[in-house]
Amino acid sequence: MTPPAPPTKNQIAGATSHPLLSVCVHAALVPLAIITLIPFVWLLLASLKTPEDFSGSMFLPRGEQGGYDLTRLTFDNYTRLFTDPSIAIGRAIVNSVFLASATAVLATFLAAAAGYALARFRFRGRNAMTILVLGAIIVPPPLLLAPGYQLLFDLGLLDTFTGLILPVAAPAFGIFLFRQSVQQSVPESLIEAARMDGATELGIFTAIVLPLVRPMIGAFMLITFLLMWNNFIGPQIVLQSPEKMPLAVVVAQMVGLYEQDYGLLMAGTLISVLPVAALFLMLQKEFITGLTSGAVKG
Amino acid sequence: MIRSLASSLNAALSPGAKVIASLALVGGAVTLLWPIERAPGLELWMFSPAHREMYRSTLETWGDSPEREPVEVSVFGIPALERRLMGGIFSGVDMADLVEVERAIVGPAFRGPVEAVGFVDLTDRLESEGLLDEINRPSFGPWSTRGRIFGLPHDVHPVLLGYRADLIESAGIDLSTVETWDEFGAALRPMIRDTDGDGEIDHWPLAFWPTHEDNIEVLLLQGGGGLFDADGRLIMDSDRNAVLIAEMVSWCVGPDRWCVDVDEFTNASNSQKIEGYSLAALMPDWMCNIWKEQIPQLAGKVKLMPLPAFEPGGRRTSVRGGSMLAITRSAEDVDEAWAFAKELYLSDELAQTLYTSTDIVTPIKRHWDDPIFDEPDPYFMGQAKGRMFIELAPEIPARTSSPYFRAARLELRNAANELYEWGRDNGVYTSEELLSKAKEILEARTDLIRRDVERNVFIPREPDTGESGGGGEGT
Amino acid sequence: MSITEPPRAVAEAESSALLTPPTPEVLNRDRALNVAGPAWLFLAPFLLVFAIFVLYPLGKSLVLAMQQTYGPGATEWVGFDNFANLLRDDLFRLAVRNTVVYTLGSMFIQLPLALGLAMLLNRPSLRGRGIYRLVFFSPQLMGLVFAAMLAALVFEKRAGLLNQALHWLVGFDLDFPWLQTHIMWTLILTSLWMYVGYNMVFFLAALQNIDKSLEEAASVDGAGPLGRFWNVTVPSIRPVASVVVLLSLIGSLQLFELPWIMLQSTPGPGNRGLTVVMYLYQKGFETGDLGYASAIGWLLAVMLIGLALVQLWIVRREDRP
């Protein structure tokens, strides 16, 4: 058999110019995508159904004579959600927005600063610090729950937002990511040049480094926002006043002792998902590029 | 300088990141400026929004009184309440002055030395004010340890048997002569048939299965078994327990079984009950209200009767669940808290509202004369179910408050399940044949708990001289 | 968007007002500047928070692990008893076994699937890649609590989505009690749904950065798709893959909230859903025995460190040639 002809550029690139292969790929992806999305569809429908319809039908509510009856869909659950004063969902949303975004901002800048230090400065103890950071990624948070709680109590930080934000403002994983990112995107020569021109260290950091790690900033902010937004164990332990509770806790607490008001719960879940979905759509590109610069070629 | 800082940040933040940053600023401003009203009066934590509704008028009356501040009530889900409670007790954090807690989560509060229990010891007050006699004695059980009582009971929760009178009576079966579980199984056996021709059995007598943790305990207590004795010692592997577990499993295994795995509170199981897939279920008083809310389709089709006993002449009721009101160690003014607790729990009005809105029978004996309990209940085909529950109230089995209660109950369930699977896989179906294996399994599982109990350095290995508040056999 | 910014940003930076022309004093000061100084300044915020909120509680937890406590004022020193009891504790052993089974099952199914998806999405002319990426990542947006509640409903027998679908498709037993007998599988499947997209994104990022010239060279050498995969793709994504594996390992071994919510705050029948962190939580926050719980936490930390070191060692070895 003669040796195969040298591959054309298209063939190297994965050869999707071949329509049949393209169809196969889509044929594999589409069912998986549907399976992934089914729970969301179910969630949306469940939030629009009355309790009888919830137990009566899987997806779309059924009419009296069988077949589907879309007029049975209702916004009742949402109305109840927003008008029930004991749930106070408006305040919960504000709390969540604040907690998630403040943590994101704080953690990102702390991590960027520390990551930059580890990446572009040579100093004694750098290796030790790097190992410390890597080790910190491994420390299991459950281990710190009990003594951490005691500490917050001693510092008078229980039932404060500060007490919730500070402990997670030093993200070891974030430092690791930013260190990679800085090494990737910020050439040493640039910094040397700036130093020789007499720039202040802070100046270099804000004017040169930060803009160059922009994707990672966006990515990490998103990750942190997402984590804090969905976090409900932390707030339940640290916060006491119901007025400070974030959305995740409020919705989770709607599951009463025996009453499963699923409609309300589903509406709350959907409300909780929408803002992060919106943010994710906005930050999609950064997210991918950010992870690229941070994790690849580590 | 600021301008270049701004321009650097501008270059460093993508649109999405800017959004997050602005949310942080705006959110921070709003959160810091939005005031939280703090009332100076008593604080009460509870886990049931329904309770808050019930207490509304008492709360208002208390608040109207000139020397007193209104009570601030917060409702949390049970896991949240538990966390808060444990955090308060084990870390000394401030808690509310009063807490309404459920049986299943109060155990750990009693794990330490009696002097350190996170609730105020109410024994002396109860005694001197004669409340120990006014309140149904066995109901103090779960809230007592080493002879001291730490809470006011909210309820009695006797258990009756609820059954589909519509289906059963129209099949010509009369359950009024049934006195034991064996008789019950035999009486309803004719109904275990395929009625609609689809090849599957459509009716089973009892909704019970070796995975139903709560109901295993209910039956165990009914039969005189239990997890802990009156001194709080672990008796999970007692002979009596082995007999009872073997009996229960024998109802569920093999070709002669007459129980079915229909559980509680889920949509699926409610549908099964409506279809009559299960014909009877264990009904504590609060379960009546659950059925009214979740299964309105069965209104007028169900009746109640005392539980069939394990032996002729045996106990015909049991107990399930319960809550109490306790004053925590954080309370500044214990007397005020105590006064409020009494007003909340001992009033006529509460006894009535408790029954009318949640079907729960009060533990305060002097209210038991109230005609409200004799009213016919349409859901239960006109039966005066309140009276039925009250008549059995003094007979409910006593319970204690071990901190290992939850773990022990889980292992009990595991033991029952293990026995069931063994019986099913080895073709052993009768209670006599299952007995020795039951004992073996119980002993192994009790050992797991026992090791934990023995690790505890705060609870003395030798029993105290004091009796626990419940008396008699415990759980 | 490319990885390194074009010189435009550099030019902008250079003209920034923060770069003042050097005066002799400034130059002198800078040369004498200990390069270490500013580094520590940048590290300071992190170190401060870390020391207070991580190191200190870590130390405290070690002390706690040697005690048995019941609230303030009721503390007994028990030395290594907690650890000794733990190693003899059958429930702990079961928890470890369950957790390890879950971790292995999860990683060996999830990661190859994530890689596979990433490779499918890596086709350059694939239309709708962005949409697929978003779709597969979206379960992450839902949060663990709701995913668990949803899963409990999906795997419910009789009315659950899975049994209904399987029954309709292949006549599967409608009453199959997934949540009683096959808890680990339900957990693996649920976390598959939740995390495949997350891992896929990492892999996709890595794949998109493979040097095309390497692939070209391999093709020229006559390597088929499988050969290209083993000799070009795998080595190129190794750094990312090891990060993904490590994160996956750490996350899986700390499994707790998912089974806890799915099984309604219990470890499930026969403790089949018991995991190490769940046991820690039960002992610490249900029984209030913080000492025992801290001991569990430390054993977990030891396990994690051990595994991380093993993984590091494997990666180092393979990087040698």
Side-chain angles (χ1 to χ4, degrees):
Chain A
M1 190 165 149
T2 57
T8 64
K9 209 138 176 246
N10 270 340
Q11 283 179 309
I12 299 168
T16 8
S17 50
H18 199 310
L20 187 58
L21 198 53
S22 187
V23 167
C24 283
V25 168
H26 280 289
L29 288 175
V30 166
L32 289 174
I34 291 181
I35 294 180
T36 311
L37 285 179
I38 283 182
F40 286 100
V41 173
W42 185 87
L43 177 68
L44 178 64
L45 286 172
S47 71
L48 296 170
K49 290 199 282 202
T50 62
E52 300 98 55
D53 283 336
F54 182 82
S55 31
S57 60
M58 187 61 54
F59 287 104
L60 294 168
R62 296 187 179 276
E64 303 288 320
Q65 297 89 8
Y68 297 113
D69 185 358
L70 286 174
T71 58
R72 292 175 74 100
L73 293 177
T74 164
F75 279 101
D76 253 1
N77 293 320
Y78 290 97
T79 329
R80 274 192 301 147
L81 192 66
F82 280 97
T83 54
D84 187 339
S86 64
I87 298 180
I89 206 153
R91 184 144 199 180
I93 295 179
V94 170
N95 290 336
S96 280
V97 166
F98 170 59
L99 271 175
S101 52
T103 311
V105 171
L106 190 62
T108 303
F109 283 107
L110 242 63
Y116 168 56
L118 288 181
R120 285 286 176 252
F121 284 85
R122 277 184 249 285
F123 56 98
R124 223 170 8 160
R126 178 166 94 158
N127 281 332
M129 278 292 116
T130 312
I131 294 181
L132 183 71
V133 169
L134 287 175
I137 298 182
I138 302 179
V139 168
L143 181 57
L144 304 176
L145 265 179
Y149 182 74
Q150 185 73 44
L151 175 66
L152 287 177
F153 172 60
D154 291 332
L155 291 175
L157 287 178
L158 276 184
D159 201 26
T160 62
F161 285 122
T162 322
L164 203 47
I165 296 177
L166 270 190
V168 295
F173 184 52
I175 297 177
F176 171 69
L177 286 177
F178 272 105
R179 175 171 163 268
Q180 308 291 72
S181 184
V182 168
Q183 281 175 341
Q184 262 278 286
S185 321
V186 184
E188 282 241 34
S189 48
L190 202 57
I191 302 186
E192 290 295 322
R195 281 205 191 114
M196 285 201 285
D197 283 343
T200 63
E201 289 298 334
L202 191 60
I204 297 179
F205 181 60
T206 51
I208 300 181
V209 177
L210 287 186
L212 288 176
V213 293
R214 174 171 153 144
M216 182 51 92
I217 291 181
F220 194 67
M221 272 196 178
L222 180 65
I223 295 181
T224 315
F225 188 94
L226 194 58
L227 266 166
M228 272 311 257
W229 182 265
N230 285 326
N231 185 18
F232 90 115
I233 296 253
Q236 271 192 321
I237 292 182
V238 174
L239 297 176
Q240 310 269 38
S241 322
E243 299 90 345
K244 294 189 180 160
M245 285 303 174
L247 189 57
V249 172
V250 167
V251 178
Q253 282 179 351
M254 287 196 299
V255 183
L257 184 50
Y258 300 113
E259 307 106 289
Q260 310 277 56
D261 194 343
Y262 278 118
L264 209 60
L265 191 60
M266 295 303 153
T269 309
L270 205 64
I271 299 280
S272 186
V273 169
L274 288 177
V276 277
L279 269 175
F280 183 68
L281 280 170
M282 267 195 274
L283 282 165
Q284 241 200 106
K285 284 247 173 61
E286 266 89 15
F287 190 59
I288 305 303
T289 345
L291 287 183
T292 303
S293 68
V296 181
K297 300 183 172 57
Chain B
M1 170 94 172
I2 304 289
R3 226 168 348 125
S4 39
L5 189 64
S7 81
S8 315
L9 284 180
N10 192 35
L13 296 175
S14 50
K18 287 200 187 99
V19 167
I20 294 184
S22 358
L23 285 177
L25 288 172
V26 171
V30 173
T31 323
L32 288 171
L33 296 174
W34 198 337
I36 298 179
E37 282 100 45
R38 272 271 154 270
L42 290 171
E43 210 190 337
L44 167 62
W45 285 351
M46 57 175 76
F47 59 88
S48 169
H51 286 200
R52 201 215 321 241
E53 274 311 303
M54 271 196 309
Y55 301 152
R56 191 171 289 276
S57 62
T58 314
L59 289 170
E60 275 164 17
T61 326
W62 178 272
D64 286 340
S65 165
E67 321 88 62
R68 292 171 173 159
E69 308 284 354
V71 174
E72 194 182 320
V73 177
S74 305
V75 179
F76 301 109
I78 285 202
L81 182 64
E82 180 182 8
R83 244 187 291 269
R84 232 163 270 255
L85 201 59
M86 295 309 142
I89 293 177
F90 300 132
S91 316
V93 178
D94 249 5
M95 295 183 276
D97 304 285
L98 296 134
V99 209
E100 205 177 53
V101 254
E102 217 258 337
R103 158 126 175 81
I105 63 175
V106 87
F110 298 121
R111 193 177 56 85
V114 148
E115 313 78 49
V117 168
F119 305 122
V120 170
D121 185 340
L122 300 173
T123 323
D124 297 326
R125 286 171 202 258
L126 287 165
E127 249 178 57
S128 61
E129 297 181 36
L131 289 172
L132 281 183
D133 297 314
E134 247 189 75
I135 300 180
N136 192 34
R137 232 351 166 50
S139 300
F140 280 110
W143 324 118
S144 331
T145 182
R146 287 157 279 186
R148 315 299 298 174
I149 304 177
F150 291 92
L152 268 183
H154 174 261
D155 40 54
V156 184
H157 292 336
V159 179
L160 294 177
L161 187 73
Y163 63 96
R164 293 292 299 276
D166 61 335
L167 295 173
I168 294 177
E169 281 167 13
S170 57
I173 300 178
D174 177 16
L175 288 179
S176 59
T177 55
V178 162
E179 288 198 353
T180 68
W181 283 114
D182 285 333
E183 286 170 15
F184 177 78
L188 286 181
R189 188 168 294 283
M191 295 205 66
I192 304 179
R193 292 177 305 121
D194 172 12
T195 50
D196 58 7
D198 64 351
E200 297 199 10
I201 297 190
D202 295 300
H203 300 296
W204 294 95
L206 184 64
F208 168 75
W209 207 247
T211 51
H212 296 181
E213 194 181 325
D214 280 10
N215 284 324
I216 295 176
E217 189 199 357
V218 166
L219 289 170
L220 200 74
L221 289 172
Q222 184 204 0
L227 296 170
F228 299 92
D229 67 8
D231 298 310
R233 269 178 308 185
L234 192 60
I235 52 166
M236 198 170 109
D237 50 359
S238 66
D239 291 330
R240 183 65 184 158
N241 280 356
V243 165
L244 292 169
I245 295 286
E247 178 80 19
M248 287 183 235
V249 169
S250 75
W251 300 343
C252 305
V253 75
D256 286 336
R257 69 163 169 122
W258 48 272
C259 287
V260 69
D261 184 6
V262 169
D263 61 58
E264 298 162 328
F265 316 124
T266 66
N267 292 313
S269 59
N270 290 341
S271 311
Q272 287 173 318
K273 292 185 175 115
I274 296 175
E275 291 164 19
Y277 192 57
S278 62
L279 293 167
L282 299 169
M283 309 267 293
D285 55 1
W286 49 266
M287 185 66 85
C288 297
N289 190 251
I290 301 281
W291 279 39
K292 287 178 185 172
E293 282 187 2
Q294 292 188 358
I295 326 180
Q297 298 89 333
L298 289 183
K301 300 186 180 171
V302 187
K303 270 190 179 167
L304 293 165
M305 64 179 269
L307 292 181
F310 276 95
E311 288 100 12
R315 197 194 326 251
R316 300 210 52 180
T317 185
S318 185
V319 65
R320 178 172 167 185
S323 345
M324 73 154 178
L325 187 64
I327 304 176
T328 70
R329 293 252 161 200
S330 311
E332 282 171 10
D333 189 343
V334 176
D335 291 317
E336 191 189 358
W338 175 241
F340 173 72
K342 282 189 297 180
E343 189 159 319
L344 190 65
Y345 264 35
L346 302 181
S347 64
D348 274 329
E349 213 191 317
L350 182 70
Q352 289 168 346
T353 325
L354 204 56
Y355 184 65
T356 51
S357 55
T358 57
D359 291 313
I360 291 177
V361 159
T362 176
I364 319 291
K365 294 195 279 198
R366 74 179 134 94
H367 296 315
W368 287 353
D369 301 329
D370 198 316
I372 209 178
F373 298 116
D374 295 298
E375 277 178 26
D377 189 326
Y379 192 95
F380 294 96
M381 293 169 93
Q383 285 181 315
K385 77 166 193 337
R387 185 59 50 200
M388 291 174 72
F389 277 111
I390 288 183
E391 269 164 13
L392 290 171
E395 292 177 41
I396 64 170
R399 299 175 291 176
T400 57
S401 68
S402 171
Y404 303 96
F405 159 68
R406 205 140 152 213
R409 203 174 65 164
L410 269 178
E411 287 308 323
L412 183 70
R413 192 265 313 260
N414 290 337
N417 204 35
E418 197 183 329
L419 185 65
Y420 164 76
E421 286 176 356
W422 179 85
R424 178 197 61 191
D425 296 336
N426 291 292
V428 180
Y429 306 137
T430 69
S431 57
E432 295 83 21
E433 290 169 326
L434 286 167
L435 184 58
S436 56
K437 187 69 177 176
K439 179 84 175 161
E440 187 188 311
I441 293 178
L442 275 176
E443 278 174 353
R445 296 217 170 250
T446 309
D447 259 344
L448 286 176
I449 312 284
R450 187 161 280 132
R451 255 183 263 160
D452 233 5
V453 175
E454 281 169 5
R455 265 190 328 111
N456 190 331
V457 299
F458 296 118
I459 295 184
R461 309 271 174 86
E462 297 310 306
D464 273 3
T465 48
E467 346 76 46
S468 73
E473 335 90 71
T475 180
Chain C
M1 202 163 163
S2 64
I3 297 167
T4 50
E5 286 288 295
R8 182 176 46 91
V10 174
E12 274 179 28
E14 273 174 350
S15 61
S16 161
L18 285 163
L19 300 174
T20 55
T23 64
E25 299 93 53
V26 171
L27 276 175
N28 279 332
R29 184 192 67 207
D30 278 353
R31 255 189 233 115
L33 204 63
N34 186 358
V35 186
W40 289 107
L41 233 58
F42 282 112
L43 280 171
F46 159 71
L47 282 178
L48 196 65
V49 175
F50 188 71
I52 298 178
F53 291 103
V54 179
L55 287 181
Y56 175 69
L58 203 62
K60 202 107 189 285
S61 72
L62 194 54
V63 171
L64 262 178
M66 312 271 208
Q67 297 174 332
Q68 211 177 95
T69 65
Y70 176 92
T75 306
E76 295 269 324
W77 184 264
V78 294
F80 284 103
D81 274 0
N82 282 337
F83 290 101
N85 282 323
L86 206 50
L87 292 173
R88 273 180 293 170
D89 189 338
D90 286 329
L91 276 181
F92 180 66
R93 286 199 205 138
L94 180 60
V96 171
R97 195 153 24 122
N98 284 342
T99 313
V100 168
V101 164
Y102 166 79
T103 303
L104 291 177
S106 190
M107 282 172 57
F108 278 109
I109 297 180
Q110 217 183 91
L111 296 182
L113 195 63
L115 181 59
L117 275 178
M119 287 176 68
L120 281 178
L121 286 191
N122 193 30
R123 311 238 154 232
S125 50
L126 186 74
R127 276 203 316 223
R129 174 189 302 134
I131 298 181
Y132 279 123
R133 202 172 52 197
L134 182 61
V135 165
F136 288 124
F137 189 81
S138 57
Q140 274 290 294
L141 302 174
M142 198 182 255
L144 213 49
V145 179
F146 305 116
M149 284 196 230
L150 220 56
L153 290 172
V154 164
F155 287 106
E156 205 183 3
K157 57 182 190 178
R158 281 222 141 207
L161 194 57
L162 184 68
N163 276 0
Q164 293 261 330
L166 287 178
H167 181 77
W168 182 72
L169 281 174
V170 296
F172 191 71
D173 177 14
L174 207 57
D175 272 322
F176 192 78
W178 291 97
L179 291 174
Q180 285 170 14
T181 49
H182 288 79
I183 296 179
M184 277 302 137
W185 279 108
T186 66
L187 291 172
I188 291 177
L189 286 174
T190 309
S191 64
L192 189 69
W193 178 75
M194 273 224 84
Y195 292 112
V196 147
Y198 185 74
N199 290 319
M200 176 197 81
V201 160
F202 276 95
F203 281 130
L204 190 59
L207 286 173
Q208 293 191 321
N209 277 285
I210 294 182
D211 204 338
K212 293 287 186 290
S213 60
L214 283 179
E215 287 201 347
E216 222 176 276
S219 292
V220 166
D221 280 349
L226 207 58
R228 281 208 303 272
F229 178 71
W230 282 117
N231 295 314
V232 178
T233 312
V234 171
S236 305
I237 63 172
R238 174 167 300 126
V240 177
S242 50
V243 168
V244 169
V245 168
L246 187 64
L247 289 181
S248 198
L249 201 64
I250 295 179
S252 303
L253 284 171
Q254 293 182 51
L255 181 70
F256 164 46
E257 275 131 332
L258 193 60
W260 189 244
I261 299 172
M262 272 173 69
L263 299 167
Q264 288 160 337
S265 303
T266 71
N271 292 315
R272 288 179 187 130
L274 184 68
T275 68
V276 174
V277 178
M278 190 189 289
Y279 197 48
L280 190 160
Y281 179 83
Q282 280 185 310
K283 283 283 167 270
F285 293 91
E286 281 186 3
T287 324
D289 192 349
L290 295 176
Y292 206 59
S294 298
I296 297 176
W298 273 101
L299 286 185
L300 177 68
V302 164
M303 264 192 282
L304 284 175
I305 293 176
L307 285 167
L309 286 176
V310 165
Q311 203 230 2
L312 216 63
W313 180 74
I314 292 180
V315 170
R316 282 278 155 77
R317 267 189 103 200
E318 291 187 340
D319 269 349
R320 283 275 163 72

